[in-house]
Amino acid sequence: MKLKGRSFLTLKDYTKDEIMYLISLAEELKKKKYVKPCDPGVMGNLLSGKNIVLLFDKTSTRTRCSFEVAAFDEGAGVTFLTNSQMGKKESLEDTAKVLGRLYDGIEYRGFKHSVVEDLAKYAGVPIWNGLTDDDHPTQVLADFLTAKEHVKKPLDKMKLAYVGDGRNNVANALFIGATKVGMDFAVATPESLFPAKELVDECKAFAETSGSKITITSSIEEAVKGADIIYTDIWCSMGEEDKMAERIALLKPYQVTMDVLKLTGNENCIFEHCLPSFHDLNTTTAQMVKEKFGLDEMEVTDEVFRSSHSVVFDEAENRMHTIKAVMVATISDSLRF
């Protein structure tokens, strides 16, 4: 499948076959990294001679490290850039045109989704969305690869239940991805945090094609029944820290506990989380929450996080393999898979 030259801004822009291709490519690249021989269509040095730049307006652990290791594995050069003049002394348009002359691909992680769209408009090279306030498509590829590895069903036979803030970027991205590939998607969230109507309408249209079933409810029991995957995320995204008290009041009843997993009726249900997670008191933020609000755990209990159901660290590793697939598919000159 030929994806060379395409940007990766949102899974809305990709078909089911294209998404499944990227996951399959990630599987082959992962195999190549750890097991040989691998599929002969996956060469080596697939990004040799390529240079990429990583633009970060938001802090990161997994996204930055995944892009860098993935690029290094396949022979690309990497520039990590947090102090550019973009939007300060130089317009986004001019910056995009300059970087497009120097690099073969550009990753952006930041706030407004319009930034990745404008970069794609002006740069002339593929743009990869490492996270915006609205979407997180590289995360979803990793989530789906992890589900494929642990749930003994095709993706379009699985059900994913998201419990927590139903309108944050990860929930949005999962909603898009699930309805694109035919995975049943349920979200349990307070009514005030239901997904945006525009997104719901778009995903309903995707589901009409893929066969995905959608459930949006304030009832955890209704959402998680029969789920193969329980997913949650932190209650306050970056830039929303001032809403901590409000979110705790809204979302405390939506904490993922072992009782929530039992409500699935599926003893093989897996637990996913994009990380970081406030499942214990081993961070300064968690200690602040404990002091102000009296909580030892937030969106998920430590019992669930450390249980046999949890695949969060496989998921974190798979960020690198799926990001590698996106870069290879969109800028490699040598791919024959």
Side-chain angles (χ1 to χ4, degrees):
M1 184 171 290
K2 300 296 184 183
L3 299 179
K4 188 175 179 185
R6 294 266 300 273
S7 287
F8 189 76
L9 309 185
T10 173
L11 292 175
K12 294 178 188 178
D13 298 335
Y14 281 71
T15 66
K16 176 180 179 178
D17 288 346
E18 289 168 340
I19 294 168
M20 297 306 298
Y21 167 76
L22 287 170
I23 294 171
S24 295
L25 177 58
E27 289 178 305
E28 291 300 321
L29 293 168
K30 184 174 183 177
K31 189 189 305 181
K32 186 184 75 167
K33 187 174 175 75
Y34 298 122
V35 180
K36 295 188 177 181
C38 66
D39 187 295
V42 178
M43 304 283 290
N45 302 316
L46 287 168
L47 299 176
S48 179
K50 302 296 184 181
N51 289 289
I52 69 169
V53 62
L54 310 178
L55 293 174
F56 277 69
D57 286 337
K58 279 189 177 181
T59 56
S60 171
T61 299
R62 279 152 297 282
T63 300
R64 176 184 176 179
C65 294
S66 293
F67 269 98
E68 289 194 351
V69 173
F72 294 148
D73 275 355
E74 293 295 342
V78 180
T79 301
F80 176 69
L81 192 59
T82 59
N83 59 345
S84 77
Q85 296 290 356
M86 185 172 75
K88 302 168 190 173
K89 291 184 177 180
E90 185 171 51
S91 69
L92 189 158
E93 178 181 349
D94 291 356
T95 302
K97 289 177 177 177
V98 169
L99 295 177
R101 296 290 186 99
L102 302 177
Y103 293 94
D104 300 287
I106 301 170
E107 180 273 352
Y108 175 78
R109 178 182 174 92
F111 296 91
K112 292 182 179 179
H113 192 77
S114 60
V115 174
V116 289
E117 293 175 330
D118 286 345
L119 287 170
K121 180 178 178 180
Y122 296 116
V125 296
I127 306 299
W128 307 305
N129 180 1
L131 175 144
T132 64
D133 287 344
D134 296 338
D135 211 334
H136 200 359
T138 61
Q139 178 65 53
V140 173
L141 291 183
D143 301 335
F144 287 1
L145 174 58
T146 307
K148 191 176 179 187
E149 291 173 339
H150 288 274
V151 180
K152 305 306 179 185
K153 298 179 183 178
L155 291 178
D156 60 7
K157 302 298 182 184
M158 296 183 198
K159 177 180 177 180
L160 185 151
Y162 181 94
V163 180
D165 181 354
R167 42 92 271 171
N168 78 1
N169 49 13
V170 172
N172 291 346
L174 287 165
F175 197 175
I176 297 163
T179 52
K180 277 282 188 170
V181 303
M183 180 185 290
D184 290 349
F185 180 79
V187 57
T189 190
E191 288 189 16
S192 60
L193 296 177
F194 274 13
K197 183 180 183 303
E198 181 180 356
L199 179 65
V200 173
D201 290 343
E202 287 181 295
C203 290
K204 282 181 177 178
F206 301 149
E208 287 179 4
T209 299
S210 70
S212 175
K213 296 178 183 176
I214 298 169
T215 304
I216 302 172
T217 178
S218 58
S219 166
I220 294 176
E221 185 172 7
E222 179 184 0
V224 305
K225 184 178 180 181
D228 299 290
I229 308 151
I230 299 293
Y231 202 116
T232 195
D233 191 10
I234 57 176
W235 291 341
C236 287
S237 298
M238 282 180 278
E240 295 184 331
E241 289 78 8
D242 61 330
K243 298 180 179 179
M244 184 70 78
E246 172 191 335
R247 292 297 167 74
I248 286 174
L250 277 171
L251 292 169
K252 188 176 178 182
Y254 292 85
Q255 183 184 66
V256 175
T257 65
M258 289 302 293
D259 285 339
V260 170
L261 266 62
K262 289 174 184 175
L263 285 173
T264 66
N266 179 3
E267 63 182 14
N268 297 314
C269 178
I270 63 172
F271 170 73
E272 293 193 340
H273 192 305
C274 55
L275 304 182
S277 170
F278 297 117
H279 61 95
D280 58 23
L281 295 175
N282 295 329
T283 63
T284 56
T285 299
Q287 290 166 13
M288 178 274 290
V289 170
K290 169 69 172 177
E291 182 178 335
K292 291 185 68 173
F293 303 104
L295 295 179
D296 293 329
E297 306 154 317
M298 292 183 66
E299 73 281 356
V300 60
T301 64
D302 197 55
E303 181 184 18
V304 170
F305 189 89
R306 298 181 187 276
S307 74
S308 60
H309 298 277
S310 177
V311 295
V312 297
F313 295 110
D314 290 346
E315 190 182 355
E317 178 191 341
N318 281 337
R319 290 295 308 285
M320 185 270 289
H321 302 298
T322 47
I323 281 170
K324 185 186 294 184
V326 169
M327 290 194 294
V328 165
T330 55
I331 67 170
S332 175
D333 297 322
S334 306
L335 182 65
R336 296 203 307 270
F337 175 79

